[in-house]
Amino acid sequence: MPADSTLHAPGRWRTVDILTCAVLAVAFGVVFWAWNFVWAGVDPALTFFPPLAGILYGVWLIPAVLAPLIVRRAGAGLLTEALAATVSALLGSVWGLLVVYQGLVQGLGGELAFAAGRYRRYGTATAVAAGALACFAATLWDVFVYYPTYDLWAYKVPYIAFAMLSGAIVAGLGSKALVKAMLPTGVLDRFPAGRERARI
């Protein structure tokens, strides 16, 4: 049976699951903080078509997809994404504490894809959907909180669309690639994902 259609029943949270989510959150919290500077540096260069900035969004959504792919527990994406956002806020995010709330929104968006499969499907299609939905939730927050007066069709719709594409590719496919790269190292052997080594 292909890995994309393999079913895995969700189980109880273990200490190793919580620690893994925490480690991922801290690591990506630092990445988030650094990515803020990339966003700030690239944004002025996109004045010819500002919605194109959405293509940079995927990096901020990786924990919302990667954590569930590894831990395979309900709420893993929400927990890890929110914690990562909190770490970036503590490091000095230009958006302040609002990123913590946005992290929760992003995590919930990604969680929807895994919940739709009853937390039993962790294939490529689910990962891509999780990345896209996490970005949809994130940019929906943006257009209501940061860009409420911007034109719907000239800015908001294309901005969300570019971000969802970025989420699908960077967060979705990128997270699947990270899991695949980690499998040969044995670090995932204590997780259901590690037992797919022969199939992925």
Side-chain angles (χ1 to χ4, degrees):
M1 182 181 290
D4 280 3
S5 58
T6 301
L7 302 181
H8 298 279
R12 293 182 178 180
W13 280 78
R14 305 168 297 167
T15 301
V16 67
D17 299 327
I18 297 170
L19 290 176
T20 299
C21 286
V23 169
L24 287 173
V26 171
F28 277 96
V30 175
V31 171
F32 287 2
W33 172 78
W35 198 247
N36 292 341
F37 296 103
V38 175
W39 177 280
V42 173
D43 196 42
L46 300 176
T47 53
F48 66 95
F49 191 51
L52 198 56
I55 63 172
L56 301 174
Y57 227 112
V59 171
W60 280 311
L61 285 306
I62 293 174
V65 183
L66 182 60
L69 290 180
I70 294 174
V71 173
R72 302 195 175 182
R73 300 287 184 261
L78 173 61
L79 172 65
T80 310
E81 186 73 24
L83 285 177
T86 302
V87 170
S88 71
L90 292 174
L91 289 174
S93 169
V94 295
W95 294 283
L97 291 177
L98 278 177
V99 297
V100 177
Y101 298 109
Q102 187 160 13
L104 288 168
V105 170
Q106 292 169 177
L108 282 171
E111 206 75 31
L112 289 175
F114 297 103
R118 299 173 60 191
Y119 293 98
R120 293 171 182 266
R121 295 189 179 275
Y122 295 91
T124 300
T126 302
V128 168
L133 286 173
C135 263
F136 175 75
T139 48
L140 200 61
W141 166 282
D142 282 353
V143 298
F144 278 106
V145 176
Y146 300 116
Y147 315 125
T149 62
Y150 284 38
D151 185 86
L152 176 65
W153 296 106
Y155 184 86
K156 293 179 181 179
V157 170
Y159 174 66
I160 291 172
F162 282 124
M164 289 181 70
L165 179 62
S166 177
I169 296 172
V170 178
L173 295 180
S175 292
K176 286 295 288 185
L178 285 172
V179 170
K180 185 175 181 180
M182 286 188 280
L183 285 175
T185 70
V187 298
L188 301 183
D189 286 353
R190 298 183 65 184
F191 302 95
R195 295 191 284 274
E196 293 182 355
R197 189 184 305 183
R199 295 197 297 271
I200 295 182

